[in-house]
Every structure is written in C-alpha cells, then in structure tokens.
Amino acid sequence: MNHRSRRALALASLAAGVLAAGAAQAAPDFQMPFACNNVWVANTWDGHSPANSVDMNRPAGGGATAGATVVASAAGTVQTSMYSTTTGYGHYVVIDHGGGWKTLHAHLQSRAVAAGDKVKQGQKIGLVGNSSAKYDLAPHLHYEQIYNGAV
C-alpha cells in the first residue's frame, strides 16, 4: 500500500468515526508532517498514550530520524509551542486548524514557531528529536490529530 493509499485509508477511518459520533465538521486535508518524497514508518500500540497517537521514525537505511524537519500537516494557528517537563512531550507544538481540529507534534529537538504564529501547510515547525524529560526515548515524532479534544 503506498503513502497516499495509507493516508486516504487513515483519513477515511477517522472521518467515519467522527461522523458516527454525530459531528458534521470535515477534517482538514492533512498531509504527513514531513516533506514529500520522504519515507517514514508510523506505529502505535495498545497502551500508547493517548490512544490513537502515532510515533514516526525513519526505516533502516531511510536517513537520520533525529534532526529531520517537521512541517505543519495543515494550515492553522500555533496554539502551543513550549517545553514540558511533566507531560513527557518535551518540546512540542500544537496547531489549531479550526473547526475543532488540532495537531500535536512532540519530542521535538527544537521548535521553529511560537504561540500565535499563523502557519501554512508544509511550513517548518521544528525538528525531530527525543526531548522528553520524563522518558528515555529514541528520536521520533509523536503525532496526534485531535478533534474536539479526542485523539
């Protein structure tokens, strides 16, 4: 299954769950939080917190994960850009895309945006890292698509 097929399947599944919950707001046209033509592996597991969040890293031979550029999945306004010592997120960015939709990007090595900044889809927002003060992590991007508070 190629990148576009996986993305379409994931978005269709998410949209079905949202519609089943009675929501009428369509999701933004999310892209992967990396530049096109990059290969990334996305994983989650039972017990991942929060449920339905995804960790992304490069496959073996796919280039360095640490320091890779993270981009906005869709246009929006940066709601949060900070370092947390209590959540396990380390450096993280939350973007409000409107209509109840947000994305969260965590464990960043560094952040390239500040709260209140307007961002375009594909704009650099930070670099992949392992900045959690709570957990000893290999470099990866922890990513969440959030609709009305639910991941």
Side-chain angles (χ1 to χ4, degrees), residues 73-151:
S73 297
T77 302
V78 177
Q79 176 183 343
T80 307
S81 179
M82 65 177 288
Y83 182 81
S84 172
T85 59
T86 58
T87 61
Y89 288 150
H91 288 285
Y92 74 104
V93 172
V94 176
I95 301 172
D96 187 333
H97 304 286
W101 289 95
K102 297 178 183 180
T103 50
L104 180 143
H105 313 76
H107 310 318
L108 300 172
Q109 182 181 97
S110 62
R111 296 170 279 120
V113 293
D117 287 354
K118 303 282 187 206
V119 294
K120 296 177 183 175
Q121 185 176 49
Q123 179 180 331
K124 178 181 177 178
I125 61 169
L127 301 176
V128 175
N130 60 343
S131 62
S132 175
K134 193 172 180 180
Y135 304 108
D136 183 22
L137 305 169
H140 70 280
L141 176 68
H142 175 93
Y143 178 76
E144 302 172 17
Q145 287 181 352
I146 305 162
Y147 181 69
N148 288 338
V151 176

